[in-house]
Amino acid sequence: MPLIPVEAMPHFENMIYLPMVLIILERDRELFEKGTFKLKRPYFKIVEEAQKIVQLELKETKIYMRRNNMQVIRGKTDNTFTEYAFLCGGYEDHRRYLNVRLRNRTEELLDVYFAMTGG
């Protein structure tokens, strides 16, 4: 039986992925700003709307985690894996994520948030 409740895992993973999504969106916004696009506003609008949605979800996740005494700590990173420690209710669970999986899941989430903007 796992010591960390199953219902807590989406919140832990949000604390991994949502900051990554925000970093990507900010970098993309900067590229649109510096780029030679003729019409930049539509791209800005999509990225900014996605940022707002992600920031709101991240805020809700942080509130949930604070209320439930949960924490994510990033551990060792190498070319293949990144390790995270999940702390919840006095228990600690270490998990290793493939860096390729982290990138792919971040890309999937970008698709989801762009779809939510109607863009």
Side-chain angles (χ1 to χ4, degrees):
M1 181 173 153
L3 301 175
I4 294 190
V6 174
E7 61 272 8
M9 286 310 297
H11 301 285
F12 282 119
E13 292 196 339
N14 276 350
M15 288 302 296
I16 294 171
Y17 291 114
L18 295 182
M20 288 183 196
V21 170
L22 284 175
I23 289 168
I24 298 297
L25 290 170
E26 183 58 33
R27 287 182 184 165
D28 288 352
R29 193 181 65 73
E30 289 173 8
L31 288 173
F32 290 134
E33 197 171 277
K34 294 175 185 175
T36 58
F37 299 91
K38 288 190 181 237
L39 301 171
K40 295 179 182 185
R41 199 170 347 156
Y43 299 105
F44 279 129
K45 184 178 177 186
I46 292 169
V47 170
E48 288 173 352
E49 288 298 316
Q51 281 178 311
K52 288 177 187 175
I53 295 167
V54 174
Q55 287 168 343
L56 181 62
E57 284 193 29
L58 184 58
K59 180 181 177 182
E60 291 170 358
T61 298
K62 286 179 179 180
I63 290 168
Y64 178 90
M65 292 191 65
R66 197 174 313 115
R67 286 183 180 157
N68 291 284
N69 199 25
M70 297 164 52
Q71 188 177 4
V72 174
I73 300 171
R74 185 177 175 167
K76 298 177 189 173
T77 298
D78 60 30
N79 291 334
T80 308
F81 292 99
T82 300
E83 185 177 300
Y84 292 92
F86 298 154
L87 309 172
C88 180
Y91 295 106
E92 187 171 328
D93 186 9
H94 290 263
R95 296 187 182 216
R96 293 175 62 188
Y97 287 78
L98 274 169
N99 292 335
V100 171
R101 176 65 183 136
L102 291 170
R103 185 194 71 221
N104 291 344
R105 180 64 181 142
T106 301
E107 187 174 338
E108 290 170 7
L109 289 171
L110 281 169
D111 286 338
V112 168
Y113 291 117
F114 285 149
M116 292 171 77
T117 67

